[in-house]
Amino acid sequence: MGWTSGDGVHEGWAAAQFPGGWFSVGSGGDGTSVGAMVRRFAPQRPLGGQRAGEPEIRDGREVIGWRGLCECGWRGPLWVRVSWPEQADPDAYRVHVPDADRYGTAPAEITEEIEEEWRAHADPADALDEVARTAAAAAVADRRLTRAVRTALGCGASWADVAAAAGVTFQAAYERWAPFFPAAGG
């Protein structure tokens, strides 16, 4: 399953990455072995012109992670498959997938993340629209948080209480909100 940009210039997909720089380009088999069809691609070269020879078949359970690929040569960040749940960190592109299938299929939530990355690459204006929407939502959330801090302080909460509730240090809470509430004191 892949994606095509509205202008038809970009075609991308969530590719399984294997050791040695091999990437999935589909799935298949010869009747005895079924798995991920893989190819090696030269770094940062258009992928469309690199179709010489037949792809190999690899067991998808050997996948080391997943990344977005585009026919234009773009490659997204590698979502590394980690061994233990404690090692997972979506912000650092590390995911715990204990049981990859024999095709090396990316989990649905990772495919969604990769598609979003690919769409931002294929149409940067969409990415900037998302930045604007997210910034607006963050501004609204910041105003709500400031009102909540004002209410808490007005009800007798201490700066230490506010800091704990906000998940920040006392110093960070005081530096952030004390200028708005000079009567609240320390």
Side-chain angles (χ1 to χ4, degrees):
M1 177 174 101
W3 319 288
T4 304
S5 61
D7 59 9
V9 172
H10 298 276
E11 183 177 343
W13 67 97
Q17 184 166 340
F18 293 83
W22 293 85
F23 295 97
S24 64
V25 293
S27 59
D30 60 10
T32 58
S33 63
V34 178
M37 290 191 304
V38 297
R39 290 188 191 275
R40 288 184 72 166
F41 296 113
Q44 300 306 314
R45 286 192 37 214
L47 304 180
Q50 300 184 43
R51 299 269 185 221
E54 291 298 314
E56 294 185 17
I57 302 292
R58 294 274 176 95
D59 186 330
R61 293 170 286 215
E62 298 171 11
V63 68
I64 61 171
W66 298 270
R67 70 171 70 227
L69 295 181
C70 186
E71 290 286 336
C72 74
W74 173 86
R75 294 177 186 193
L78 177 64
W79 288 82
V80 177
R81 181 178 170 208
V82 296
S83 301
W84 303 103
E86 305 81 43
Q87 297 171 311
D89 181 358
D91 293 333
Y93 297 97
R94 292 194 310 264
V95 293
H96 179 243
V97 181
D99 300 316
D101 67 19
R102 63 185 179 175
Y103 304 108
T105 308
E109 62 274 10
I110 300 305
T111 299
E112 289 173 12
E113 294 282 346
I114 290 171
E115 181 179 3
E116 187 175 311
E117 294 162 357
W118 176 83
R119 291 205 180 280
H121 144 75
D123 188 355
D126 282 349
L128 292 174
D129 288 346
E130 179 63 19
V131 169
R133 283 190 300 274
T134 304
V140 168
D142 189 58
R143 288 191 299 272
R144 289 182 63 205
L145 180 57
T146 300
R147 282 195 303 270
V149 168
R150 177 184 325 209
T151 300
L153 291 171
C155 292
S158 69
W159 282 108
D161 296 334
V162 168
V168 298
T169 65
F170 172 90
Q171 182 176 349
Y174 190 79
E175 287 175 1
R176 180 171 177 187
W177 292 298
F180 297 108
F181 313 111

